[in-house]
Amino acid sequence: MKRSIILIAIAGCLTGFGACSHPAEKAAGDKENKKKPGKYFCTMHPSVSSDTPGVCPKCGMEMVERDTTVKK
């Protein structure tokens, strides 16, 4: 009896862990990561970028131009 309860508990845990990593969620995250960064960004929030100069919507700091030189 104890053995069957333990096996059922292990099977339930494995099913729960498998459900946490859904492929659709991973695909949506990949699209966000592949987004082309803007020419200007906030030094405090590098994830905030824009194609035009302005202020960061999170902190109000001036956005600076991104360095586009290629390092070798």
Side-chain angles (χ1 to χ4, degrees):
M1 180 69 180
K2 288 182 182 180
R3 186 176 266 170
S4 63
I5 292 174
I6 292 172
L7 289 174
I8 291 171
I10 291 173
C13 288
L14 291 176
T15 303
F17 289 132
C20 289
S21 59
H22 195 269
E25 293 173 3
K26 288 181 183 177
D30 290 343
K31 288 181 182 177
E32 282 185 20
N33 292 339
K34 291 182 181 179
K35 183 180 175 184
K36 184 179 177 185
K39 187 175 179 181
Y40 296 89
F41 74 102
C42 175
T43 55
M44 291 295 290
H45 304 97
S47 61
V48 177
S49 63
S50 174
D51 291 332
T52 59
V55 295
C56 174
K58 290 185 178 181
C59 64
M61 288 182 61
E62 287 290 323
M63 297 178 81
V64 296
E65 193 168 1
R66 189 176 302 273
D67 184 15
T68 56
T69 58
V70 178
K71 295 180 182 178
K72 290 187 178 183

